[in-house]
Amino acid sequence: MIIRYPSTRLRRRRQAPWIRDLTQETELSCQDLIWPVFVHSATKSIPIPSLPGQMRWCVDDLLKQAEALAMLGIKAIALFPVVDPIHKNHHGSFAFNDKNPVILAIQKLKQAQLPLGIISDVALDPYTSHGHDGLLTPCGQVDNDKTVTQLAQLGLILAQAGCDMVAPSDMQDGTVGAIRSLLEQHHCHHTLILSYTAKYASAFYGPFRSAVGAAKLGVHQAPSDKRSYQMHPGNTDEALLAAQLALSQGADCLMVKPAMTYLDVVYRLRTETQTPLFCYQVSGEYAMLKHYAQQTAADAAPLFYESLLSCKRAGAHGILSYYAPEMAKYIADLNATEQAFSKKTVSKHY
Ligand code: PBG
C-alpha cells in the first residue's frame, strides 16, 4: 500500500473532538489505578515532606480515604508501613508485631468490606535499622535464603490478616515460591502474589526512602546501594528471565518499577508474557512532576494524565501512582464535561 500526501492527510482525523475521540487508541480510566499509601501507628495523619500532597496516614483516616477511593472507582490500595525508629532493629522484627500498622490497617480495611483490593508490600526495609530489604550477613550483604524464609512468614501473616494480594519487593531469589508454598500449606490459596519482577536499582526511590525513614548513607553504601539485589538499569533480557522464574513459582501478576524510564520493559513483558502486568510510577517520578508543575505554575493533572497514559500505551494493565485519587477525580471531571456537552448538543438538534 502506498500512502501519500495529499490523499492521506493525517490532520483530517485530528480536526474535531468527535473524530479524535473515535480514533483514540489508548484510554486511561479509574479502573487502571492503584494508590500506594503510607500508614503509621500514630493517632494523627501527617504530611510527607518528600512527597508533596501525600500523608503518613493513621489507620482511622486511611479507612476514610479508602472509602472515598472506592467511590471514585479505583480498584486497589497498596500499603506501606512507616515504623517508629525506636521499633527498628537489625532483623526488622517489628514486621511480625501485632502493632505493625500495616496489619492493623489490613484488618480494618477488610472489616469495612469495600470493593477495593488490598495489596501489601512484602520487604523488610521499613522495619530494619539499616534500611535494607532483608537480613544481613556479618559482612553486610543481604542473606538471600534467610531473608526469603523471613519474608514468606511475613507474606503469610499479611494474608491471614486479610490482605488480598501480597507484593514481594525485596528482589531476592525464590521469595515468590517460598511465599506461595507457605500460603498453600496454610490454605491461603486465594491470596494473589504480585511479583516485583523487574525492579530496577533506580535513583528515583529517594522520596519513598525518606517517607518510610529508611536511612540514607553514602552513595555506595546501604541502603542507597541496593545493586547487589535490584536489577541493573541497562537490562531487559534479565527482566524476561525474572518473569519466567516468578511465574514458575506462582506469581499471579508481574510488575515493572519505576515506570517512565522503563516503558520498553513494560512493552516487552506485556508482549512476551501472557500475564497481567502492573507498573509503578515511583516516588521520584511523582515528586519530579509535582515540582515541575509547582515551578512552572502548570496544572499537574494533564502532566500526570500523559505520563500514566504512556504506561497504558506501553502495555500496563494497572498502574500504581501516588497521584491515583487526583487522577481519578480528573478523569471523572473530564467525562462529566464531555457528557454535559453532548447532552447540550443533542438537545439542540433533536
Ligand atoms: C523497598 C521498596 C522501595 C520502593 C517500594 N518498595 C524502595 C527501595 O527499593 O529502596 C520504592 C517506591 C517508590 O519510590 O515510590 N521494599
Side-chain angles (χ1 to χ4, degrees), residues 50-277:
S50 64
L51 287 168
Q54 301 300 307
M55 309 281 279
R56 291 174 172 174
W57 298 102
C58 66
V59 175
D60 289 343
D61 286 350
L62 182 65
L63 198 65
K64 287 183 212 133
Q65 289 297 316
E67 281 161 10
L69 207 63
M71 297 281 284
L72 285 168
I74 287 183
K75 294 289 140 185
I77 192 167
L79 303 171
F80 294 90
V82 179
V83 174
D84 194 317
I86 56 164
H87 294 312
K88 294 190 184 191
N89 60 26
H90 216 66
H91 313 287
S93 52
F94 195 70
F96 304 93
N97 193 299
D98 289 347
K99 297 200 176 74
N100 178 347
V102 158
I103 295 179
L104 297 175
I106 293 172
Q107 288 165 342
K108 282 255 167 99
L109 285 167
K110 202 69 197 173
Q111 274 165 20
Q113 296 190 330
L114 300 169
L116 196 67
I118 308 168
I119 304 175
S120 180
D121 198 61
V122 182
L124 291 181
D125 56 316
Y127 309 99
T128 52
S129 43
H130 44 73
H132 272 295
D133 294 52
L135 305 171
L136 299 187
T137 61
C139 53
Q141 289 294 314
V142 173
D143 186 322
N144 191 93
D145 296 2
K146 279 201 181 125
T147 298
V148 165
T149 311
Q150 193 84 327
L151 291 181
Q153 288 297 338
L154 181 56
L156 177 65
I157 287 175
L158 296 168
Q160 286 173 335
C163 182
D164 300 305
M165 180 181 249
V166 292
S169 68
D170 57 300
M171 292 298 282
Q172 306 307 307
D173 289 316
T175 313
V176 169
I179 295 179
R180 177 57 76 214
S181 59
L182 205 60
L183 289 175
E184 285 291 323
Q185 276 169 40
H186 290 82
H187 312 290
C188 296
H189 43 267
H190 293 304
T191 308
L192 293 138
I193 299 180
L194 166 61
S195 157
Y196 278 66
T197 308
K199 177 173 174 181
Y200 286 91
S202 168
F204 284 94
Y205 303 147
F208 173 98
R209 289 178 190 163
S210 333
V212 300
K216 210 171 176 187
L217 305 173
V219 178
H220 297 297
Q221 278 176 293
S224 310
D225 190 2
K226 296 192 174 186
R227 288 174 300 180
S228 72
Y229 44 101
Q230 297 179 348
M231 207 177 290
H232 191 287
N235 297 356
T236 65
D237 285 345
E238 194 183 342
L240 273 177
L241 196 62
Q244 284 165 22
L245 269 169
L247 292 172
S248 73
Q249 291 171 40
D252 300 285
C253 300
L254 305 176
M255 173 113 89
V256 174
K257 174 184 171 186
M260 282 163 76
T261 39
Y262 296 91
L263 293 181
D264 57 322
V265 185
V266 173
Y267 180 76
R268 249 192 116 182
L269 285 190
R270 175 63 196 267
T271 44
E272 295 185 39
T273 66
Q274 287 73 46
T275 308
L277 183 63

